Amino acid sequence: MIDSYLGIDLGSSYTKFVVTDDSGGLVFNNVIPTLSRNKDMFKNQFEDISNMFSIKKICTTGYGRDTVKGDLKKTELICAAAGISALFPGNKCIIDIGGEDIKIIESGPGGEVINFYMNDKCSAGTGTFITEIADKAELEIGEMSELAKRSSGSNIINSFCTVFAKSEILGWKFNNIPIEEISKGIYLSIVSRLRKLPVKTNIPVILCGGVIAYHPYLQELLSEEFSVDVTIAPNPQYMVALGASILAMKYEA
Amino acid sequence: MAQLKSQLILKGILKDYFTGMKSPIAWCTSAGPAEILRALGFDVYFPENHGALLGASRAAEKYIPRAHKEGYDSEICSYLTADIGAWLMKETPLTKIYGLESIPKPDLIVFNTNQCREVAEWFNFFGREYDCPVFGIFPPRHLEEIAKADVDNVVVQLKRLITVGEEIIGKPLDPEKLSETVRLSFEGSQLWKEVLSTATHSPAPLTFFDGCILMAPIVVLRGTQICVDFYRETLAELNDFVAKNEGAVSNEQVRIYWDGMPVWGRLRFLSQLFAENQTSVVASTYCNSWVFDDFDPQKPLESMAFAYTNIFINRGENAKLEMMKNIMETFKVDGAVFHNSKTCFNNANSRFGLPKRVNEATGIDTVSFDGDLVDLRFFSDGQTRTKLETFIEQLKFKK
């Protein structure tokens, strides 16, 4: 078996596993829920990977990076910059929309973090926000992008507070606002959230994270908002774990 | 680094301070005119110190909701809400630590709004509770330059305070005693400055987090020989570390400036976080706030009026920027961390674009994080760790 490297991204909603070979090529990826009641899921996944590959080093990242023993641990921002830089050399601005936060990372060609921004405690505009609002609106996550595309509406959820946003959606339902418009309104609130963040648009803008993986229509809305073509990274949900595995490969202990 | 001997000595000093406190007692804000009160013969108690204690001991979360119930909002000073809540619940950590039945009963309550208006509301609450006279000093605020008229304004107010104090004490203020107290304040403050300045050495022998503990005497015993002696010993101890090239953080790679309040309930967490990442927080706005270069025993009232109006928190943002630039240069920092303390509007300096201007003026990278001085409901361990660790890595990339 060739030498391989494992990156584990323990995010607030999902845990992503990526294995890369000794040249940084992705050879395996999978996702399981984080903090699943079934603790065996993590253990089984880990054992499967250990049986399939000759893992030389492990890097953990994400909110739960301290809970799993690896060779090194790095923040998800450092790993996102490393993962995206493996595919997009040159300076770029990364927008990573995750389960409970949004991160803006200005990264150099080699994955250096030049500057970054992340929200603090409030999770408005993140994956959890969408899930909660969609649930109240009786929307399936998987159908939201297609529905929103069909809407020409510009109504937007104004509240930054997830709880108040849910009440707002209830009002929309009482007023018989079409489901297409509700879907778009949820996305527009994310765009509005990003509007006030320091996104650099004079360099390529790359989207990654779990939210963009399931809500690709956001790409179109964000391109319009920033008047540039924003790009979705391949396997957007796995970019942080990919970065972690690449950093594991580069790590010399 | 092992615990400083000075920190052990400090425990004894604080025990003597609290257990030895006797009437007449004056309450005073931390950058208030303590010298006048001491010279008049008052023992001086500082409610902010009690607020910090409530935060550091994590007792505040029990008391803050009680103050909310009384009508004190959740987004005003959490020293105030913690302290008022504890009072309403008739508890204080001073009972467990020093065996005191309650906080010391005041004969006079004095505040200076050079730091914020919240102190006025806070101290007036206790004035009503104790039926005790309250005297407020209201200096001109947010000054870029301090003119003679500004100082004169404060001198007049200090003179009124002296009259009020003399009536309570029942005898006139001894000018010699005031002059001597100001001299001791100056000496203590200069030694405190030297203590902090040991961190200009790399590796720094003390960090901001050590400073938050060691600062107690310059706040609560300013103007006494005890304070002077303590910092002389502390300085000698720290100079030994400098001579041995021994840092508070092993393998110091990154040096940080801290702006804003400490997160009292997370001092250890944050201290360890920085240390784990080979980073020393070597300088701060906060600890430097008790460095008074302008006290003059020959002109006690004028120099006090100037010194207490000149403090960082009372200045305009252009003046603040200059003060920060000087400290950042002196301490050779790589980055600056701004604590956006939710309930301390007056000492959260990231809200009007100052971090960006610091970066433009110095080239030093900055980061802000949300938190609070006492109310930990506004602080997230995970988010803060991610933010600070990424920032440190960013600085390491650039070195």
Side-chain angles (χ1 to χ4, degrees):
Chain A
M1 282 194 284
I2 56 161
D3 290 352
S4 305
Y5 302 89
L6 172 60
I8 310 174
D9 171 14
L10 296 109
S12 58
S13 302
Y14 294 96
T15 296
K16 285 76 71 178
F17 295 83
V18 160
V19 178
T20 49
D21 59 25
D22 54 4
S23 60
L26 190 149
V27 293
F28 174 88
N29 61 284
N30 195 25
V31 58
I32 62 170
T34 298
L35 299 178
S36 159
R37 280 189 185 174
N38 180 1
K39 301 285 180 211
D40 288 342
M41 274 179 93
F42 185 93
K43 200 169 139 242
N44 293 343
Q45 179 66 85
F46 194 78
E47 279 174 7
D48 285 352
I49 290 172
S50 303
N51 291 333
M52 281 189 286
F53 303 98
S54 167
I55 301 293
K56 290 294 164 197
K57 286 197 182 83
I58 300 169
C59 173
T60 59
T61 182
Y63 188 75
R65 63 186 175 279
D66 291 326
T67 60
V68 175
K69 179 100 184 75
D71 297 284
L72 76 160
K73 55 185 181 185
K74 292 284 173 187
T75 70
E76 50 272 40
L77 293 95
I78 300 294
C79 291
I84 296 280
S85 294
L87 306 175
F88 300 90
N91 289 330
K92 62 254 155 200
C93 181
I94 301 162
I95 303 176
D96 178 354
I97 310 178
E100 287 187 1
D101 54 24
I102 298 181
K103 298 162 192 114
I104 310 292
I105 309 153
E106 185 189 344
S107 164
E112 318 89 294
V113 171
I114 297 168
N115 230 322
F116 72 94
Y117 171 88
M118 62 183 283
N119 64 311
D120 278 276
K121 292 182 72 183
C122 177
S123 68
T126 67
T128 304
F129 176 82
I130 298 178
T131 308
E132 294 269 325
I133 310 297
D135 180 56
K136 192 52 125 182
E138 298 171 285
L139 276 164
E140 291 291 330
I141 295 292
E143 65 178 3
M144 280 181 64
S145 262
E146 282 307 314
L147 286 169
K149 264 186 209 172
R150 298 207 289 268
S151 166
S152 57
S154 57
N155 279 333
I156 185 168
I157 299 168
N158 283 311
S159 182
F160 279 162
C161 168
T162 306
V163 175
F164 291 153
K166 283 165 85 169
S167 312
E168 213 173 320
I169 281 294
L170 211 54
W172 289 26
K173 282 170 73 180
F174 280 129
N175 290 328
N176 295 318
I177 305 283
I179 199 79
E180 291 82 0
E181 201 167 318
I182 295 181
S183 299
K184 190 165 178 189
I186 295 171
Y187 289 143
L188 287 176
S189 77
I190 308 273
V191 174
S192 147
R193 188 79 175 161
L194 275 158
R195 187 176 292 149
K196 64 171 198 159
L197 305 184
V199 175
K200 266 204 160 181
T201 54
N202 59 348
I203 49 178
V205 179
I206 318 286
L207 295 168
C208 70
V211 166
I212 201 65
Y214 294 98
H215 305 278
Y217 182 53
L218 270 171
Q219 179 191 22
E220 199 175 317
L221 292 175
L222 289 171
S223 295
E224 269 175 41
E225 170 63 30
F226 297 126
S227 305
V228 292
D229 286 334
V230 303
T231 306
I232 300 182
N235 297 311
Q237 193 174 11
Y238 292 100
M239 280 299 103
V240 172
L242 173 69
S245 66
I246 288 170
L247 290 174
M249 182 179 76
K250 290 180 178 170
Y251 180 62
E252 288 167 12
Chain B
M1 190 172 75
Q3 190 181 34
L4 291 168
K5 266 187 291 176
S6 307
Q7 292 189 356
L8 295 174
I9 294 167
L10 179 59
K11 281 188 180 171
I13 289 176
L14 290 176
K15 186 177 181 210
D16 292 346
Y17 164 73
F18 280 108
T19 55
M21 198 167 285
K22 55 188 183 309
S23 186
I25 290 170
W27 287 16
C28 188
T29 45
S30 63
E35 293 74 14
I36 289 175
L37 301 170
R38 278 193 212 292
L40 279 164
F42 288 101
D43 276 358
V44 190
Y45 166 77
F46 296 84
E48 284 153 83
N49 173 256
H50 193 246
L53 190 59
L54 290 167
S57 64
R58 308 280 298 278
E61 54 203 74
K62 177 179 171 189
Y63 302 129
I64 289 173
R66 180 66 187 86
H68 297 338
K69 200 169 159 184
E70 199 67 15
Y72 289 88
D73 194 89
S74 61
E75 295 193 4
I76 60 168
C77 172
S78 56
Y79 276 169
L80 180 162
T81 49
D83 196 44
I84 287 180
W87 168 258
L88 292 169
M89 293 174 79
K90 302 195 185 321
E91 289 180 5
T92 167
L94 299 178
T95 307
K96 193 176 167 194
I97 308 173
Y98 303 117
L100 300 190
E101 214 170 279
S102 75
I103 50 174
K105 181 177 180 297
D107 298 284
L108 172 63
I109 295 178
V110 178
F111 63 81
N112 188 338
T113 58
N114 54 358
Q115 54 194 95
C116 60
R117 67 154 287 190
E118 280 82 344
V119 291
E121 310 309 330
W122 179 6
F123 283 38
N124 274 314
F125 168 87
F126 281 101
R128 293 189 293 273
E129 290 290 306
Y130 282 110
D131 192 19
C132 172
V134 180
F135 189 92
I137 291 164
F138 300 88
R141 291 279 283 131
H142 312 301
L143 299 170
E144 296 294 359
E145 304 280 340
I146 299 167
K148 182 171 180 304
D150 301 317
V151 177
D152 291 347
N153 172 336
V154 179
V155 168
V156 171
Q157 299 187 56
L158 293 178
K159 285 179 177 167
R160 279 195 212 122
L161 168 65
I162 291 170
T163 309
V164 171
E166 285 172 338
E167 273 172 28
I168 292 168
I169 291 288
K171 59 177 183 185
L173 172 72
D174 175 357
E176 294 280 311
K177 181 88 171 115
L178 178 62
S179 186
E180 171 63 5
T181 310
V182 169
R183 187 191 68 74
L184 287 168
S185 273
F186 180 67
E187 202 178 339
S189 157
Q190 291 305 298
L191 283 162
W192 172 235
K193 183 181 183 177
E194 285 188 61
V195 163
L196 294 176
S197 296
T198 59
T200 57
H201 182 79
S202 182
L206 88 164
T207 70
F208 165 66
F209 306 102
D210 301 315
C212 287
I213 307 299
L214 295 173
M215 66 184 275
I218 197 60
V219 178
V220 303
L221 287 159
R222 191 167 69 247
T224 69
Q225 189 63 45
I226 301 165
C227 171
V228 171
D229 293 344
F230 173 72
Y231 288 121
R232 193 163 283 136
E233 283 183 48
T234 307
L235 181 61
E237 188 183 13
L238 289 168
N239 279 335
D240 278 348
F241 282 106
V242 170
K244 287 186 280 185
N245 214 26
E246 199 173 319
V249 167
S250 57
N251 189 23
E252 175 187 291
Q253 291 177 27
V254 175
R255 294 165 64 84
I256 294 278
Y257 179 93
W258 178 286
D259 178 80
M261 299 296 292
V263 185
W264 286 110
R266 280 291 185 274
L267 283 187
R268 182 174 296 177
F269 167 82
L270 286 162
S271 166
Q272 283 174 351
L273 189 162
F274 282 105
E276 282 164 16
N277 289 280
Q278 302 82 44
T279 299
S280 288
V281 182
V282 294
S284 68
T285 314
Y286 186 69
C287 288
N288 271 280
S289 294
W290 286 272
V291 170
F292 300 103
D293 290 326
D294 303 295
F295 283 141
D296 180 355
Q298 304 302 316
K299 296 185 290 179
L301 288 187
E302 290 77 4
S303 67
M304 279 174 68
F306 182 83
Y308 287 131
T309 305
N310 188 39
I311 58 172
F312 180 91
I313 194 170
N314 194 44
R315 305 301 300 279
E317 289 222 345
N318 294 322
K320 282 182 179 173
L321 175 61
E322 286 307 310
M323 292 163 101
M324 289 177 78
K325 269 167 60 182
N326 286 338
I327 298 177
M328 286 176 175
E329 201 172 295
T330 308
F331 285 82
K332 300 181 286 289
V333 302
D334 303 300
V337 169
F338 283 74
H339 171 205
N340 185 19
S341 184
K342 182 76 173 176
T343 73
C344 188
F345 181 82
N346 277 277
N347 206 17
N349 296 302
S350 58
R351 298 182 185 180
F352 296 96
L354 188 57
K356 187 163 180 275
R357 293 196 294 283
V358 164
N359 176 256
E360 285 164 358
T362 62
I364 288 168
D365 284 352
T366 69
V367 73
S368 302
F369 74 93
D370 285 353
D372 193 59
L373 59 167
V374 165
D375 193 342
L376 292 178
R377 292 173 298 180
F378 295 116
F379 181 81
S380 157
D381 284 359
Q383 294 288 75
T384 306
R385 177 178 283 281
T386 296
K387 202 172 242 194
L388 294 177
E389 286 187 349
T390 305
F391 183 60
I392 291 166
E393 196 97 356
Q394 172 186 326
L395 298 175
K396 285 180 181 173
F397 275 133
K398 291 184 181 179
K399 275 180 89 80

